[in-house]
Amino acid sequence: MTVLILTGEEDVTADMVVVHLNASSVPVVRLDPADLTAGAALSGEYVHGSFRGHLSAGGRLVSMNGLRSVWVRRPGVPAARAPEPSAWLTEEASQALYGMLRGSGARWMNHPDAARRARHKPWQLRLAQRCGLPVPATLITTFPQVAREFAERFPDLVVKPVSGAHPQDPPRAVPASRVAPDTDFAAVAYGPTLLQRRIVKRADIRLTAVGETLLAARKATPADADPDEVDVRFASSATDWLPVEVPPRVAATVRRYLKEAELAYGAFDFAEDADGTWWFLECNQSGQFGFVEVETGLPIARTIAAWLARSAPGEPGHVDDRRTVAP
Amino acid sequence: MTVLILTGEEDVTADMVVVHLNASSVPVVRLDPADLTAGAALSGEYVHGSFRGHLSAGGRLVSMNGLRSVWVRRPGVPAARAPEPSAWLTEEASQALYGMLRGSGARWMNHPDAARRARHKPWQLRLAQRCGLPVPATLITTFPQVAREFAERFPDLVVKPVSGAHPQDPPRAVPASRVAPDTDFAAVAYGPTLLQRRIVKRADIRLTAVGETLLAARKATPADADPDEVDVRFASSATDWLPVEVPPRVAATVRRYLKEAELAYGAFDFAEDADGTWWFLECNQSGQFGFVEVETGLPIARTIAAWLARSAPGEPGHVDDRRTVAP
């Protein structure tokens, strides 16, 4: 039973995981969908009520029915490196590859449907609420008057993009930033705006969830930190990321979130306040983990390798497209 | 409880359904996501563990928690008609609208996740097999040699696009067409190719499924039909579409398909052979029904209106994003 990793050629984070898979002699095939139809090939046959599929990449042929798991790491755009690339060929190659893999019965980290749904921030907030995670008061609106009233109720706000996407080209992450007290909010009418009560934090938490295993790191906020630096990704690095225990109540709610979201992997960001409460900010289903592992020594890559190597279904992330239908 | 229809302004098929909803006094709000943020507006608030959302369109304000159902008919690209449209604004508006609606608890025709998955033809074929629908022998491949061997086993083949997409711009549908006996298949290496055993048909079947209701039409193949005209959409119209009973065994398998696919609506295409067997060709989750209703008098629009107007969950298409999580 083989582990299939969908990613580009240069991916040192994937390399970190492959090292562990190799050490435990689990067969691995690495395929970049961009290499379809030059370097990678596929075939699937539907005859007499059954399906047999194969993939070929890097000179190796693997049966789709013999896949243990699929790690959707950083796959390229299907057929992007074909001799004559086109939007049409990309669509054909994408449907052929993912359409067949969806029927393979493999476990996914993460399943494409779950991954896509999990990118919706408004959906994340609602799910976090339902699972019992503390969510800072949040408004997403195109009504300036509603934004003004929200700012009266919650005077200390930050503003973030709804999608986490970037208005610039080339792409850049948009930092969350504080809302000035005299903000007028008229511009809210031109695009949905996410306003969120600012958590006065004493630390940032990055919780990396791999199946049932939760690995958390904590970065204390220096006492003299600039309160305008709300986004840890853009803050100065006076303190280090250190491993931290996950409080049992948080662990239970995070596992509930993953189960509902059908995610095998998620990188949760929390803000820890003065009372020690972890406030949910977001869960990135494809969040980076390399920097956390390097800084803290948390065994994230090894845990991912172990998850991918397991052959039993039944945990979060196992969306069973192959479930048997009684005839 | 309101029915929300996501579609453009000019949509006569939606009008057919709205007539029936109006007749039964069900409140309807029509919103084109393209009108965000000029003409349509949205707002959602996450405070103290609960969510309250609103949409405004056509001068009407509707609560997202008070939505009975959402009909994803032909929605425009979010924010496409904004004063300063951009890919970024589209992404923000899309995430805000669909991200909040996903948490509304409304019934969907069809849920975006189910719709997206259902577009994968390879996945359709596998699901149809599992549900017990007869599927003509099919190969999807980039290996010329595999295609040649398949053609030896099944000499009478048709070729179709994998995705149903169109290589031309402006978009045109690609007809399925017969494969000539002397075909070499070398070009298969340049793009995934779908080859399927040709069903010698005596009729085409279009089965429109709306929840549990199945409405089928049949178009007999004239005795003197050109056997090269395999695609009914491009064939000459010597015969009419007529209503036809759905055989009980087909009905059971089609309902199983819809349940597994989590679809509330699907347009199935079958080819009926000389033995009367209905061979599954595809299920289009957004297939047109206007022409069938006009030609046959089948009450499809009325059935869709009734489905949208119902308030009870529990049937195909009800993907419960609001399912309660025990705290």
Side-chain angles (χ1 to χ4, degrees), chain B residues 54-66:
Chain B
H54 291 89
L55 289 174
S56 161
R60 295 190 48 194
L61 191 70
V62 61
S63 160
M64 287 198 220
N65 306 62

Side-chain angles (χ1 to χ4, degrees), chain A:
Chain A
M1 297 287 278
T2 303
V3 172
L4 174 66
I5 304 181
L6 300 178
T7 198
E9 214 164 293
E10 304 213 349
D11 181 349
V12 290
T13 308
D15 295 343
M16 289 165 68
V17 172
V18 170
V19 165
H20 292 288
L21 289 168
N22 288 343
S24 49
S25 306
V26 175
V28 176
V29 166
R30 202 159 161 156
L31 184 148
D32 187 351
D35 290 332
L36 288 169
T37 52
L42 54 77
S43 200
E45 185 183 292
Y46 305 75
V47 174
H48 300 314
S50 67
F51 170 72
R52 290 189 319 131
H54 292 88
L55 290 174
S56 160
R60 295 191 47 195
L61 191 71
V62 60
S63 160
M64 288 198 221
N65 306 61
L67 289 179
R68 192 188 289 251
S69 55
V70 182
W71 188 22
V72 186
R73 196 12 231 173
R74 297 202 151 180
V77 173
R81 280 195 287 276
E84 294 185 44
S86 70
W88 183 71
L89 182 57
T90 288
E91 182 65 14
E92 291 280 292
S94 173
Q95 296 261 348
L97 175 65
Y98 291 103
M100 289 200 273
L101 283 177
R102 279 163 178 269
S104 73
R107 297 153 70 241
W108 292 79
M109 180 182 275
N110 286 318
H111 192 283
D113 293 335
R116 185 157 187 274
R117 180 175 55 193
R119 286 187 201 106
H120 291 80
K121 185 93 64 89
W123 178 86
Q124 288 184 22
L125 295 171
R126 187 74 192 105
L127 179 59
Q129 282 187 332
R130 281 192 201 120
C131 292
L133 286 164
V135 175
T138 305
L139 176 72
I140 299 169
T141 198
T142 61
F143 291 97
Q145 188 53 33
V146 174
R148 285 181 203 114
E149 287 164 18
F150 192 76
E152 277 169 28
R153 286 156 65 202
F154 305 100
D156 191 0
L157 291 174
V158 297
V159 59
K160 307 179 185 184
V162 178
S163 62
H166 19 67
Q168 290 102 343
D169 189 35
R172 276 197 276 165
V174 179
S177 51
R178 283 185 85 174
V179 176
D182 55 348
T183 300
D184 168 64
F185 294 114
V188 159
Y190 297 103
T193 302
L194 191 156
L195 300 169
Q196 190 167 63
R197 182 169 79 79
R198 183 175 76 98
I199 302 299
V200 181
K201 68 184 178 191
R202 67 178 190 198
D204 287 286
I205 305 287
R206 163 57 72 94
L207 189 162
T208 306
V210 182
E212 291 286 315
T213 307
L214 309 182
L215 299 158
R218 182 178 186 273
K219 186 188 177 86
T221 307
D224 61 347
D226 179 352
D228 286 345
E229 280 189 349
V230 290
D231 194 323
V232 66
R233 294 171 301 168
F234 297 85
S236 51
S237 285
T239 57
D240 295 326
W241 285 103
L242 295 169
V244 66
E245 284 289 309
V246 182
R249 196 184 134 64
V250 175
T253 48
V254 162
R255 291 203 179 98
R256 201 176 293 149
Y257 184 106
L258 292 163
K259 183 158 182 276
E260 290 292 313
E262 298 181 292
L263 292 176
Y265 176 90
F268 291 78
D269 287 326
F270 295 94
E272 182 188 304
D273 70 12
D275 298 331
T277 298
W278 289 13
W279 290 88
F280 174 87
L281 299 180
E282 67 173 312
C283 172
N284 185 344
Q285 68 82 28
S286 66
Q288 280 294 358
F289 63 86
F291 74 96
V292 184
E293 172 143 355
V294 169
E295 283 204 38
T296 61
L298 287 168
I300 304 175
R302 198 177 70 208
T303 309
I304 291 174
W307 190 94
L308 294 170
R310 270 212 305 277
S311 37
E315 61 267 89
H318 187 72
V319 179
D320 192 355
D321 272 339
R322 204 182 50 172
R323 59 192 167 214
T324 309
V325 180

Side-chain angles (χ1 to χ4, degrees), chain B:
Chain B
M1 298 288 278
T2 303
V3 172
L4 174 65
I5 304 180
L6 299 178
T7 198
E9 214 165 292
E10 304 212 350
D11 181 349
V12 291
T13 308
D15 296 342
M16 289 166 69
V17 172
V18 170
V19 165
H20 292 287
L21 289 168
N22 288 345
S24 49
S25 305
V26 175
V28 177
V29 165
R30 201 160 161 156
L31 184 149
D32 187 352
D35 290 332
L36 287 170
T37 55
L42 55 77
S43 201
E45 185 184 291
Y46 306 74
V47 175
H48 300 315
S50 67
F51 170 72
R52 290 188 319 130
H54 291 89
L55 289 174
S56 161
R60 295 190 48 194
L61 191 70
V62 61
S63 160
M64 287 198 220
N65 306 62
L67 288 179
R68 193 188 289 254
S69 55
V70 182
W71 188 22
V72 186
R73 193 21 226 168
R74 297 202 151 180
V77 173
R81 278 195 289 275
E84 294 185 46
S86 70
W88 184 71
L89 182 57
T90 288
E91 183 64 14
E92 291 280 293
S94 173
Q95 296 262 346
L97 175 65
Y98 291 103
M100 289 200 274
L101 284 176
R102 279 163 178 270
S104 72
R107 297 153 67 242
W108 292 80
M109 181 182 274
N110 285 319
H111 192 283
D113 293 334
R116 185 157 185 273
R117 179 176 55 194
R119 286 187 202 106
H120 290 80
K121 184 92 63 87
W123 178 85
Q124 287 184 23
L125 295 171
R126 187 73 191 106
L127 179 59
Q129 282 186 333
R130 283 193 199 118
C131 293
L133 286 165
V135 174
T138 305
L139 177 72
I140 299 170
T141 198
T142 60
F143 291 95
Q145 188 51 33
V146 175
R148 285 181 203 114
E149 287 164 18
F150 192 76
E152 277 168 29
R153 286 156 66 202
F154 305 100
D156 191 359
L157 290 174
V158 298
V159 59
K160 306 178 184 185
V162 177
S163 62
H166 17 69
Q168 290 101 345
D169 188 35
R172 276 198 276 165
V174 179
S177 50
R178 283 184 86 172
V179 176
D182 55 349
T183 299
D184 167 63
F185 294 112
V188 159
Y190 298 103
T193 302
L194 191 156
L195 300 170
Q196 190 167 63
R197 183 169 77 80
R198 183 175 76 98
I199 302 299
V200 181
K201 68 185 178 190
R202 66 179 190 199
D204 287 286
I205 305 287
R206 162 58 71 94
L207 188 162
T208 307
V210 181
E212 290 286 314
T213 307
L214 308 182
L215 299 157
R218 182 177 185 276
K219 186 186 176 86
T221 307
D224 61 348
D226 179 353
D228 285 344
E229 281 189 349
V230 289
D231 195 324
V232 66
R233 295 171 300 169
F234 297 85
S236 52
S237 284
T239 57
D240 296 325
W241 285 104
L242 295 169
V244 67
E245 284 290 308
V246 182
R249 194 183 135 66
V250 175
T253 48
V254 161
R255 291 201 179 98
R256 202 176 293 151
Y257 185 105
L258 291 165
K259 182 157 182 278
E260 290 291 313
E262 299 182 290
L263 292 176
Y265 177 90
F268 291 78
D269 287 327
F270 295 95
E272 181 187 304
D273 70 11
D275 298 330
T277 299
W278 290 13
W279 290 87
F280 174 87
L281 299 180
E282 68 174 311
C283 172
N284 185 345
Q285 68 83 28
S286 66
Q288 281 295 358
F289 63 87
F291 75 96
V292 184
E293 172 143 357
V294 169
E295 282 203 38
T296 61
L298 287 168
I300 304 174
R302 198 176 72 208
T303 309
I304 291 173
W307 190 94
L308 293 170
R310 269 211 305 278
S311 37
E315 61 267 89
H318 188 71
V319 178
D320 193 353
D321 272 338
R322 206 181 50 173
R323 58 190 167 214
T324 309
V325 180

